[in-house]
Amino acid sequence: MCGRYALTLTPEELKEILGLLELEDFPARYNIAPTQPILVVVSGETQVRGSNLPDRRAVLVRWGFTPSWVKDPKEFPLLINARAETATGKASFRAAMRHRRVLVPASGFYEWHRPSKESGEKPQAYWIRPRRGGVVALAGLMETWSSADGSEVDTGAILTTAANASIASIHDRMPVVIKPEDFARWLDCKTQEPRDVAGLMRPAEEDFFEAIPVSDKVNKVINMGADLQTPVVVEKPPKPPGKKPGGDQLSFF
């Protein structure tokens, strides 16, 4: 599951790391939540042969995927995540997996360890970031939904996979991370079919992320300051949870 994340790098840093043609200025965001606009990277028009200019561009989409065939979004679940194991064959995501794969840049994401009700313990929030800092590119999907009056809304979702051992003690799912050397391959929807990029949708290496316990301020979307990532002391570390069924719908915190 990936229900909150942050993006705090500067536009100039993102342009360099992701190879973007251009990028408008934007503020640091410490608590990005579903239904909000999120920045995604798509493959742009191929440049003239011999050009050194990048061909990727950044666009804003609404976080909450709406398939093109949906008649009324209000009557459709808010899909913020897509399970990597089933996205290719699922009606909601099949077309986007083939034609509209994107990258979702993030400085890290938040996850909650939820003890059993019997334990009487409260959920603990964690700020999970790349151990070496910088930006991480999450695998995403994009779809444009058109209403009957012709208006259009670009929407997106983040792909998730089974958590690696270092994250599993907090949650059994984690977002799919695309390595820099695989950016072009993931974004290439002209020659790379879903089966060709299936191997990219795997858990990150065990030591890629570090999990930092933080306060429950992040639970509320109105809290948006850098203090959300201030570490707190946890009396005892979480135990690996049992296997739980999961879907693609939004979990409410």
Side-chain angles (χ1 to χ4, degrees):
M1 186 68 185
C2 179
R4 300 283 179 84
Y5 72 97
L7 180 59
T8 58
L9 273 72
T10 67
E12 288 302 317
E13 289 173 320
L14 279 183
K15 281 179 62 177
E16 182 177 353
I17 295 172
L18 296 174
L20 297 173
L21 183 59
E22 58 183 22
L23 183 59
E24 294 183 3
D25 193 20
F26 59 84
R29 299 173 67 188
Y30 292 90
N31 195 7
I32 301 173
T35 74
Q36 294 180 353
I38 62 173
L39 187 75
V40 304
V41 176
V42 301
S43 180
E45 296 296 328
T46 303
Q47 298 292 336
V48 178
R49 180 175 294 182
S51 172
N52 292 323
L53 291 175
D55 66 349
R56 296 172 193 148
R57 59 190 179 92
V59 299
L60 288 175
V61 305
R62 173 181 177 270
W63 190 10
F65 190 95
T66 305
S68 59
W69 42 262
V70 171
K71 294 183 178 180
D72 186 356
K74 295 180 180 179
E75 298 180 358
F76 193 77
L78 185 64
L79 305 180
I80 64 169
N81 293 149
R83 295 176 69 91
E85 300 90 338
T86 60
T88 300
K90 199 164 185 177
S92 296
F93 305 114
R94 186 184 303 121
M97 274 296 298
R98 177 64 186 87
H99 301 290
R100 289 171 292 280
R101 297 189 299 269
V102 302
L103 297 173
V104 183
S107 300
F109 64 98
Y110 299 96
E111 194 52 84
W112 283 257
H113 171 62
R114 303 182 187 280
S116 64
K117 293 182 179 180
E118 294 76 14
S119 70
E121 299 176 19
K122 295 182 179 180
Q124 174 60 55
Y126 286 84
W127 164 235
I128 302 175
R129 66 184 184 187
R131 194 174 296 274
R132 298 181 180 178
V135 68
V136 59
L138 309 180
L141 300 174
M142 175 179 169
E143 186 65 271
T144 299
W145 180 81
S146 300
S147 66
D149 63 9
S151 61
E152 296 183 339
V153 179
D154 292 329
T155 68
I158 294 173
L159 284 154
T160 67
T161 186
N164 59 26
S166 62
I167 303 299
S169 61
I170 300 173
H171 198 280
D172 61 355
R173 304 290 296 179
M174 68 185 300
V176 173
V177 175
I178 302 298
K179 297 180 179 179
E181 59 266 32
D182 296 319
F183 286 175
R185 183 177 163 199
W186 174 257
L187 293 175
D188 181 5
C189 295
K190 294 181 179 180
T191 67
Q192 299 293 302
E193 296 186 8
R195 63 172 179 269
D196 299 320
V197 297
L200 303 181
M201 296 186 291
R202 57 181 182 271
E205 288 82 356
E206 301 299 333
D207 62 347
F208 184 82
F209 286 114
E210 60 179 344
I212 301 169
V214 295
S215 76
D216 61 3
K217 289 181 180 180
V218 70
N219 292 15
K220 298 181 179 180
V221 295
I222 60 173
N223 296 327
M224 300 180 289
D227 61 322
L228 296 179
Q229 297 172 4
T230 301
V232 299
V233 176
V234 176
E235 294 184 358
K236 57 181 179 179
K239 296 179 180 179
K243 186 67 175 180
K244 297 179 181 179
D248 301 310
Q249 295 188 30
L250 170 66
S251 290
F252 294 91
F253 307 126

